[in-house]
Amino acid sequence: MLEHGGGLLRAAAEYGIPAGDWLDLSTGVNPNGWPVPTLSADSWLRLPQNHDGLEAAAAEYYGSDKLLAVAGSQPAIQLLPRLRAPCRVGMLALCYAEHPHHWQKRGHQLFRLSPDELAAGIDQLDVVLLCNPNNPTGDRFSPALLESWRQRLAARGGWLVVDEAFLDAAPEDSMLPRIGKPGLIVLRSIGKFFGLAGARAGFVFGWPELLQALAEELGPWTVAGPAREAVKLALRDIAWQQTMKTKLQRDSSRLQRCLERHGLPPAGGCELFQWAPGARSLSTHRYLAGRGILTRYFESIPSLRFGLPKTDADWVRLEQALTDWRRHDIRD
């Protein structure tokens, strides 16, 4: 099993701190998520219905009806590598770990590259997979650049797969307006921006034959009834979405400034997290965990990802812990 953020219960057991006493900054999930109302009894009692308005709400929100509802991005991440014969797949050296894991598991040849290396090697690859913005480094790729890559890949029957899980707050960078063009696949998640990670809901966008192949592999009732109802309502709540985009941009900048003040300048990030590489990352991670603050540590490139605090008290707690860490670090 790959390690992910959000391992709060394990951290609680390891550090002897009750789960309710932690400040969990280890994920990129919006801590001020969409407020889920009481859901209808039918959503719990009946099998999920395919004509309940979810797909229509998603098509309106995303601007494309070429979609398939899935239980979060994970099912698509696992299934897409099965739909191609073994081929040459390029992605960033540090990215969401589930992507390389499943392409490699299915016998594809992986090339883990820097952004510049990836750009230079497009014509030697059959599939290019990107998170935009990248998780955790925050690298971003313009739609114009990605469209040029898509054209070169599609000319040889290749794919461009773009995971836009963290892009809701900056939709101008999305490839969704180009959906329907050959070789383009876009993954979107409800868990991050809407803060509904537990709903396990998301969407795959692509051409009809691809979506049909995925649907046949997934089978019926992919997304649970209560999740379908909640997500449909969230996608239609335009006022909340607009307010949240502004708040996330403000909070992300606040987090960046906070980390800079305490000697952890981020090298990248987005509206939902900041990424700070450095040789002291592991010791910093352990020190903060000892104070009941959970961050996401990456070993391959020693670094920490910080999600957003939720309340004013959480911000104060993070500031104080980082102040104490710097004093502790200087003494050591």
Side-chain angles (χ1 to χ4, degrees), residues 2-254:
L2 298 177
E3 183 178 354
H4 299 288
L8 190 58
L9 296 180
R10 185 176 65 179
E14 181 178 353
Y15 287 89
I17 300 172
D21 294 341
W22 284 80
L23 171 56
D24 185 3
L25 306 180
S26 67
T27 75
V29 173
N30 182 359
N32 294 285
W34 184 75
V36 181
T38 301
L39 301 175
S40 68
D42 278 354
S43 71
W44 296 97
L45 299 174
R46 296 181 182 274
L47 288 170
Q49 305 293 306
N50 289 332
H51 303 287
D52 59 356
L54 172 62
E55 283 77 9
E60 184 175 357
Y61 175 79
Y62 293 111
S64 173
D65 62 358
K66 299 177 177 63
L67 60 87
L68 176 69
V70 290
S73 301
Q74 187 63 30
I77 290 171
Q78 294 183 205
L79 284 175
L80 285 173
R82 303 184 192 181
L83 301 183
R84 287 190 69 102
C87 64
R88 296 161 62 91
V89 181
M91 59 189 68
L92 295 184
L94 181 57
C95 66
Y96 181 54
E98 292 288 341
H99 288 298
H101 173 73
H102 289 287
W103 285 94
Q104 192 165 42
K105 182 178 178 180
R106 290 293 165 181
H108 300 276
Q109 186 179 6
L110 261 60
F111 296 85
R112 309 294 296 273
L113 306 167
S114 71
D116 289 342
E117 290 170 338
L118 187 59
I122 290 295
D123 294 326
Q124 284 72 53
L125 299 169
D126 302 300
V127 173
V128 169
L129 191 148
L130 290 170
C131 299
N132 192 30
N134 188 45
N135 174 23
T137 65
D139 290 295
R140 291 183 188 250
F141 302 85
S142 73
L145 175 64
L146 295 182
E147 172 61 15
S148 70
W149 291 2
R150 181 204 66 78
Q151 292 176 11
R152 290 158 68 182
L153 289 162
R156 296 177 285 105
W159 290 356
L160 174 65
V161 184
V162 188
D163 185 342
E164 297 183 348
F166 290 96
L167 202 58
D168 291 74
E172 64 275 8
D173 292 333
S174 177
M175 288 295 286
L176 285 174
R178 295 169 170 82
I179 279 296
K181 293 186 175 182
L184 177 61
I185 302 167
V186 173
L187 309 180
R188 294 298 290 255
S189 171
I190 295 298
K192 306 300 190 297
F193 174 74
F194 288 96
L196 298 177
R200 304 313 306 139
F203 300 91
V204 183
F205 293 82
W207 57 95
E209 294 80 7
L210 174 87
L211 299 181
Q212 181 61 35
L214 287 172
E216 290 176 357
E217 289 290 332
L218 290 168
W221 312 305
T222 302
V223 182
R228 291 183 65 93
E229 182 172 320
V231 170
K232 175 179 64 177
L233 296 172
L235 290 172
R236 289 176 172 167
D237 193 345
I238 297 174
W240 181 90
Q241 295 160 18
Q242 292 174 338
T243 299
M244 188 52 59
K245 287 177 185 177
T246 300
K247 176 174 174 53
L248 290 176
Q249 290 165 358
R250 183 177 63 246
D251 285 356
S252 181
S253 295
R254 181 179 179 181

